[in-house]
Amino acid sequence: MDLYYHQGSAPCRSVIMIAKALGVDLNLKFCNILAGEQLKPEFVKLNPQHTIPTLVDNGFVLWESRAILIYLVEKYGKEDDSLYPADPQQRALINQRLYFDMAVLFQSFYQAIFPQIVTKKPPTPESMEKVDKAFGLLNTFLEEDEFVAGPSLTVADISILAIVSTFEVVDYDISQYPNVAKWYAKVKEVTPGWAENWEGVQWLKNYMQSS
């Protein structure tokens, strides 16, 4: 399978981690989005939304990281469904957390942190309020369970881990949310591919400091 990716992208790194968890080999194809490679005609033909990650599995093309995570688990995790259990209620909770990640947590990063990386401009108070609210909600989700959607690691943890770790680019104080901090320490230890994810975070931090 080909994965068009950039190491600075949290969604791309979540796909790399899930592939590691499944023992699936990816043919990584670097897409330099900073140079506009995603806008080249051949890539737009592949993915009209010209976004990464984009997965190509024997001619089947899929983008949007959370859709890719579920696809990979459903296709290649048949012997062990713990990352995305078949039970409807467990699966519904995982889906809810993935939608929270996409619509709330990742959006707070995109509005408050991403501009700091690209333009060096400080975030607005309003945008940081959204970050704090997102982390507060995540802290609440973790009050009763060790992982974000129940007692064991799932695709929701891996997706959320990728973006939570990226907040470290600006040294966001995760410790003010004790449940999140405890979860973060745990998932870093148990998630396959964490080292690759952290390399991407460090690359992004170095880019921010040098550009």
Side-chain angles (χ1 to χ4, degrees):
M1 284 182 291
D2 292 338
L3 180 70
Y4 292 84
Y5 84 109
H6 189 289
Q7 70 268 35
S9 162
C12 291
R13 287 184 269 111
S14 71
V15 175
I16 291 170
M17 286 192 284
I18 204 76
K20 287 278 186 180
L22 295 168
V24 172
D25 292 328
L26 295 173
N27 179 31
L28 297 177
K29 289 182 170 287
F30 179 71
C31 180
N32 190 351
I33 56 176
L34 300 175
E37 288 184 358
Q38 75 279 18
L39 301 176
K40 289 184 176 180
E42 57 268 30
F43 190 80
V44 173
K45 184 177 180 180
L46 190 69
N47 173 355
Q49 287 186 273
H50 46 82
T51 56
I52 55 169
T54 293
L55 182 77
V56 183
D57 184 7
N58 195 30
F60 174 67
V61 183
L62 185 65
W63 56 93
E64 168 38 48
S65 65
R66 296 152 196 88
I68 294 172
L69 298 182
I70 293 171
Y71 169 75
L72 290 176
V73 171
E74 288 189 323
K75 183 171 182 179
Y76 297 102
K78 293 179 179 178
E79 294 182 3
D80 178 9
D81 73 349
S82 61
L83 289 170
Y84 196 55
D87 177 79
Q89 291 187 354
Q90 288 181 291
R91 184 165 286 194
L93 184 59
I94 292 168
N95 289 341
Q96 186 275 323
R97 300 299 196 245
L98 288 171
Y99 295 143
F100 161 79
D101 175 34
M102 179 175 65
V104 180
L105 184 60
F106 183 81
Q107 283 301 312
S108 76
F109 172 86
Y110 191 76
Q111 293 174 21
I113 310 303
F114 185 72
Q116 295 182 63
I117 297 170
V118 175
T119 67
K120 304 297 190 299
K121 292 181 179 179
T124 64
E126 293 79 11
S127 66
M128 286 309 300
E129 284 178 8
K130 291 181 180 179
V131 171
D132 294 338
K133 182 178 180 180
F135 271 85
L137 287 168
L138 182 57
N139 199 64
T140 299
F141 297 159
L142 289 160
E143 283 181 352
E144 297 183 1
D145 289 308
E146 192 173 9
F147 296 93
V148 299
S152 62
L153 185 79
T154 69
V155 293
D157 292 281
I158 293 174
S159 184
I160 291 174
L161 172 61
I163 190 60
V164 166
S165 62
T166 311
F167 279 90
E168 292 211 54
V169 169
V170 294
D171 299 320
Y172 182 72
D173 184 13
I174 297 172
S175 67
Q176 61 187 309
Y177 306 97
N179 297 332
V180 177
K182 182 179 178 181
W183 164 85
Y184 186 42
K186 176 74 173 180
V187 291
K188 286 192 289 187
E189 292 180 357
V190 302
T191 302
W194 163 255
E196 289 86 345
N197 177 73
W198 188 242
E199 286 175 7
V201 173
Q202 291 302 303
W203 180 91
L204 193 58
K205 189 167 188 175
N206 292 335
Y207 171 81
M208 178 181 177
Q209 293 173 346
S210 62
S211 61

